[in-house]
């Protein structure tokens, strides 16, 4: 968090701290003033006691406005979204953590609603072909089931931590809960973005734009960004690349996306202190790319399934969108490029080939 954010009065913890200081000051000043009243000490004490009781009710009302009501709204919104009801928005209009979380939840709900509407529209356009309609309905059910499964985990986490936030008195724990809630919201936003991108590729809403570029340079750029001088690197990087330029003619942005997803996948699955190896070879007019990660192999019956939407191995941790390899397969298939995955003796290798140009 930036230093300017820590000093902002709009943060919940800053509001609470400021309120406690103001209340303490009011109590001290009110007690001093009560001793100056032209009444007996018992009457003055009674007046001050009444004032303190009213002050307590006032503080309780303010805390309800700042904390309890926003938490209740967030909890209700998270519960609706956990039940896949995106019809109502979370209307917290404040410039603090609750307001930002409310905005993120609303954006996520709107994106999901738009996605479902697009799926409905695509379904109606294909109603003339009964067999195609049946296939679409089957795929739609699979997508909704997968999406429901994927969304329930982060939404369940958001709901649990929202409820914990409401019952927690420790300010440090509250801050940690808020950070986890925001992190899970961002995870869902990434999921929706990837899903929309894949849907656009599958339906032909976007087209690939070809351009001539040096593939060796592109790979070096992507690998340098993802693998070199990274603080979480716990693997040995090896690579074999041509020492000259090799040109291809295809969509550079989409091929960068392919490399990015394959390298991230290898980085996520390489075993601690294992080898992650990039290879690029130019043979007979074809450029062969492969990325190998030393670690657990993939059961043979699951090799084809890894290219499907939302697929994760049962051994994988809860991370990623489950769409990266599906996007890779879609981009390479649109160009009719050969690609695949295979198990080696002590790891897994992903690969594809692309024609070269002069």
């Amino acid at each position: 968090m930036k230093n300017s954010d820590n000093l902002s009065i709009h943060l919940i913890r800053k509001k609470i701290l400021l309120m406690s200081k103001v209340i303490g000051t009011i109590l001290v000043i009110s007690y001093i003033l009560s001793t100056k009243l032209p009444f007996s000490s018992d009457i003055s004490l009674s007046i001050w006691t009444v004032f303190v009781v009213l002050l307590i009710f006032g503080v309780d009302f303010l805390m309800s406005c700042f904390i309890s009501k926003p938490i209740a709204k967030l909890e209700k919104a998270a519960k609706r979204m956990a039940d896949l009801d995106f019809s109502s928005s979370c209307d917290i209009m404040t410039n603090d953590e609750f307001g930002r979380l409310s905005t993120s939840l609303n954006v996520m709900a709107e994106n999901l609603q738009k996605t479902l509407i697009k799926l409905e529209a695509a379904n109606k356009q294909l109603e003339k072909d009964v067999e195609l309609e049946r296939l679409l309905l089957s795929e739609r059910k699979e997508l909704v089931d997968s999406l429901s499964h994927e969304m329930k985990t982060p939404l369940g986490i958001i709901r649990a931590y929202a409820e914990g936030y409401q019952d927690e008195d420790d300010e440090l724990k509250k801050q940690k809960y808020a950070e986890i809630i925001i992190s899970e919201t961002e995870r869902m936003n990434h999921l929706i973005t990837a899903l929309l991108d894949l849907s656009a590729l599958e339906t032909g809403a976007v087209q690939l734009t070809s351009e001539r570029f040096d593939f060796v340079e592109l790979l070096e750029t992507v690998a340098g960004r993802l693998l070199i001088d990274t603080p979480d690197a716990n693997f040995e990087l090896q690579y074999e690349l041509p020492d000259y330029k090799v040109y291809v003619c295809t969509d550079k942005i989409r091929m960068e996306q392919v490399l990015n997803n394959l390298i991230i996948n290898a980085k996520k699955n390489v075993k601690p202190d294992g080898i992650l190896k990039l290879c690029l070879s130019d043979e007979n007019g074809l450029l062969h790319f492969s990325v190998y990660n030393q670690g657990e192999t993939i059961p043979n019956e699951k090799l084809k399934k890894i290219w499907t939407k939302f697929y994760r191995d049962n051994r994988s941790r809860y991370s990623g969108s489950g769409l990266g390899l599906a996007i890779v397969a879609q981009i390479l298939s649109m160009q009719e490029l050969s690609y695949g995955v295979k198990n080696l003796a002590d790891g897994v290798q992903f690969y594809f080939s692309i024609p070269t140009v002069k």
Side-chain angles (χ1 to χ4, degrees):
M1 183 177 290
K2 296 181 179 178
N3 293 332
S4 58
D5 291 338
N6 290 327
L7 298 176
S8 173
I9 195 174
H10 296 296
L11 296 177
I12 296 297
R13 62 179 182 275
K14 293 297 183 181
K15 292 180 180 179
I16 296 175
L17 181 61
L18 179 61
M19 183 184 299
S20 64
K21 292 181 179 179
V22 171
I23 293 171
T25 303
I26 292 175
L27 285 174
V28 173
I29 294 176
S30 64
Y31 179 77
I32 294 174
L33 292 177
S34 68
T35 61
K36 305 296 183 180
L37 295 175
F39 306 110
S40 65
S41 59
D42 290 340
I43 295 176
S44 297
L45 181 59
S46 298
I47 294 174
W48 184 73
T49 302
V50 171
F51 174 78
V52 171
V53 171
L54 294 175
L55 182 62
I56 291 173
F57 280 110
V59 171
D60 183 68
F61 173 76
L62 291 176
M63 292 297 290
S64 174
C65 293
F66 289 154
I67 304 296
S68 300
K69 289 183 179 179
I71 284 292
K73 289 183 178 180
L74 287 171
E75 193 274 335
K76 289 181 181 179
K79 182 178 179 181
R80 288 196 304 269
M81 293 180 187
D83 295 331
L84 300 181
D85 177 10
F86 309 109
S87 58
S88 300
S89 61
C90 185
D91 57 343
I92 299 177
M93 310 300 292
T94 57
N95 191 23
D96 54 23
E97 295 98 324
F98 294 139
R100 293 195 293 272
L101 178 56
S102 174
T103 299
S104 296
L105 287 174
N106 290 337
V107 170
M108 180 199 67
E110 182 180 354
N111 287 339
L112 280 173
Q113 191 70 17
K114 289 180 179 178
T115 301
L116 294 177
I117 290 175
K118 287 183 178 180
L119 289 173
E120 290 287 349
N123 179 45
K124 291 180 179 179
Q125 291 178 358
L126 298 173
E127 286 181 350
K128 293 180 181 181
D129 189 330
V130 177
E131 181 61 24
L132 193 56
E133 179 185 5
R134 185 194 63 79
L135 178 61
L136 182 62
L137 288 174
S138 176
E139 292 179 349
R140 176 182 155 194
K141 181 180 183 301
E142 179 184 356
L143 175 61
V144 172
D145 290 344
S146 299
L147 185 60
S148 300
H149 175 75
E150 294 295 323
M151 298 300 290
K152 282 184 180 294
T153 298
L155 286 172
I157 293 175
I158 290 175
R159 180 180 179 182
Y161 277 94
E163 292 173 347
Y165 192 107
Q166 188 174 12
D167 299 331
E168 184 58 61
D169 296 325
D170 189 298
E171 290 302 319
L172 292 178
K173 288 186 178 180
K174 283 187 175 182
Q175 178 64 21
K176 182 64 176 178
Y177 290 174
E179 291 174 356
I180 292 174
I181 292 172
I182 293 173
S183 174
E184 291 300 317
T185 304
E186 291 175 349
R187 185 192 300 275
M188 287 187 290
N189 280 334
H190 291 321
L191 172 64
I192 298 305
T193 300
L195 178 60
L196 291 175
D197 187 31
L198 180 57
S199 297
L201 289 168
E202 290 177 334
T203 60
V206 296
Q207 300 295 326
L208 302 184
T209 303
S210 296
E211 62 176 295
R212 180 176 176 271
F213 62 92
D214 178 12
F215 198 89
V216 179
E217 180 182 6
L218 176 64
L219 176 57
E220 289 175 341
T221 300
V222 175
R225 183 180 70 248
L226 297 177
L227 301 177
I228 299 177
D229 296 330
T230 55
D232 58 343
N234 61 343
F235 54 85
E236 178 187 344
L237 175 61
Q238 298 180 3
Y239 55 89
E240 295 179 3
L241 307 179
D243 56 1
Y244 54 89
K245 295 182 178 181
V246 181
Y247 291 96
V248 299
C249 187
T250 183
D251 192 309
K252 184 176 182 180
I253 294 177
R254 289 297 179 179
M255 290 309 297
E256 181 177 354
Q257 189 176 8
V258 168
L259 293 175
N260 188 79
N261 289 349
L262 289 177
I263 292 175
I264 288 178
N265 179 73
K267 182 179 177 181
K268 185 168 60 176
N269 290 286
V270 65
K271 70 178 185 180
D273 300 320
I275 296 174
L276 193 157
K277 185 174 182 179
L278 299 174
C279 290
L280 197 63
S281 60
D282 179 18
E283 301 176 1
N284 302 322
L286 284 177
L287 189 61
H288 303 287
F289 166 84
S290 68
V291 55
Y292 161 79
N293 64 271
Q294 191 175 28
E296 292 189 48
T297 58
I298 303 172
N300 291 330
E301 67 273 12
K302 297 182 178 180
L303 284 175
K304 292 183 178 180
K305 296 180 180 179
I306 63 174
W307 304 105
T308 58
K309 294 188 289 288
F310 297 116
Y311 175 80
R312 289 197 190 94
D313 187 85
N314 294 331
R315 299 164 297 178
S316 66
R317 295 171 294 175
Y318 171 59
S319 63
S321 65
L323 296 171
L325 293 179
I327 292 175
V328 168
Q330 182 64 34
I331 293 174
L332 296 178
S333 296
M334 291 174 67
Q335 302 175 82
E336 298 182 352
L337 302 180
S338 62
Y339 66 93
V341 56
K342 61 183 176 180
N343 290 317
L344 301 184
D346 57 351
V348 179
Q349 183 184 66
F350 286 81
Y351 58 88
F352 67 83
S353 300
I354 183 171
T356 61
V357 297
K358 297 299 183 181

